[in-house]
Amino acid sequence: MARRLFAIPLAAVFAAIGSVAGIGLPGHAETSDGGALKTVSDFDAITETGARSKAIFEEASRVMTHPRCINCHPATRSPTQGEDLHPHVPLMNASQSSLGPAGLVCSTCHGAENRPILGSRMKSIPGNAHWSLAPASMAWQGLTVGDICRQVKDESRNGNRSHADLVRHMGEDHLVGWAWHPGAGRSAPPGSQETFAALVAAWVETGAECPD
């Protein structure tokens, strides 16, 4: 009970900070960032298997490099926020745990679902039951699409996931799916989780080749 009473005021304080600092996001509804995500069949014309595999990953990377995903795959152990990837407010460091620092873990403010904020430019606090920062080995910010690809399929850096595990993770993980339902004030990646997972599966089936 004490934790819940503590979390609500903190969330309100952080919302006010965002409003005063002018870092809140516009109050638009959930939108995509630049057109529909291509489907697997859109790549049928590429007859060379390796080239098709690379092209499919390039398309899937439009999701992976979208702010909804890459904010939680930062270059450092500090998450970023917003469309412009500005530093998280308040400043966070997850060097000891992907769930946040002791005394101020992610769940202090991030609940099991998105929480609207009335009268704030932030519009909402994002939430998911599994909210956390990606492991350090999965840092994506600053990497090329090819580098992200090689990292994603490297079991020593992807959470010990096989190719089959990757397909299930991308298609079924609830936190991955949150990206398409990010709450008011945030854009969503193109396509849907189902289309994204189908692309990842097709990339695996064509040899999991990576762009240069």
Side-chain angles (χ1 to χ4, degrees):
M1 179 63 71
R3 180 177 176 181
R4 293 181 63 186
L5 291 172
F6 181 63
I8 293 173
L10 270 179
V13 169
F14 298 152
I17 291 173
S19 179
V20 172
I23 62 173
L25 303 175
H28 60 270
E30 298 173 17
T31 56
S32 183
D33 75 334
L37 196 65
K38 291 181 180 178
T39 64
V40 174
S41 62
D42 290 321
F43 298 89
D44 289 347
I46 303 177
T47 57
E48 201 279 310
T49 303
R52 186 163 70 253
S53 188
K54 292 177 182 180
I56 289 171
F57 189 88
E58 287 270 9
E59 185 66 9
S61 75
R62 293 178 58 207
V63 172
M64 297 177 183
T65 57
H66 187 277
R68 295 296 75 72
C69 298
I70 209 164
N71 272 326
C72 288
H73 287 261
T76 68
R77 298 310 294 153
S78 294
T80 53
Q81 291 177 317
E83 311 300 301
D84 59 354
L85 312 186
H86 62 258
H88 189 286
V89 177
L91 186 64
M92 302 293 289
N93 186 290
S95 59
Q96 300 301 316
S97 169
S98 292
L99 297 177
L104 194 61
V105 295
C106 300
S107 60
T108 303
C109 293
H110 297 279
E113 57 188 24
N114 301 327
R115 183 166 54 210
I117 304 176
L118 298 177
S120 168
R121 292 180 61 188
M122 286 181 68
K123 303 303 177 185
S124 65
I125 295 176
N128 183 275
H130 304 291
W131 197 267
S132 64
L133 196 66
S137 64
M138 299 181 197
W140 292 350
Q141 287 187 23
L143 299 185
T144 66
V145 170
D147 286 338
I148 292 174
C149 178
R150 286 180 281 276
Q151 183 190 66
V152 164
K153 72 175 187 177
D154 182 350
E155 291 188 24
S156 70
R157 294 187 290 165
N158 73 3
N160 199 34
R161 294 183 176 92
S162 66
H163 285 173
D165 292 333
L166 282 175
V167 175
R168 283 192 293 272
H169 174 67
M170 300 300 191
E172 300 175 12
D173 186 272
H174 197 257
L175 185 54
V176 172
W178 170 89
W180 287 273
H181 308 280
R186 298 176 187 84
S187 67
S192 65
Q193 185 173 18
E194 293 75 18
T195 302
F196 173 57
L199 287 170
V200 174
W203 167 66
V204 168
E205 291 167 1
T206 51
E209 296 290 338
C210 291
D212 298 330

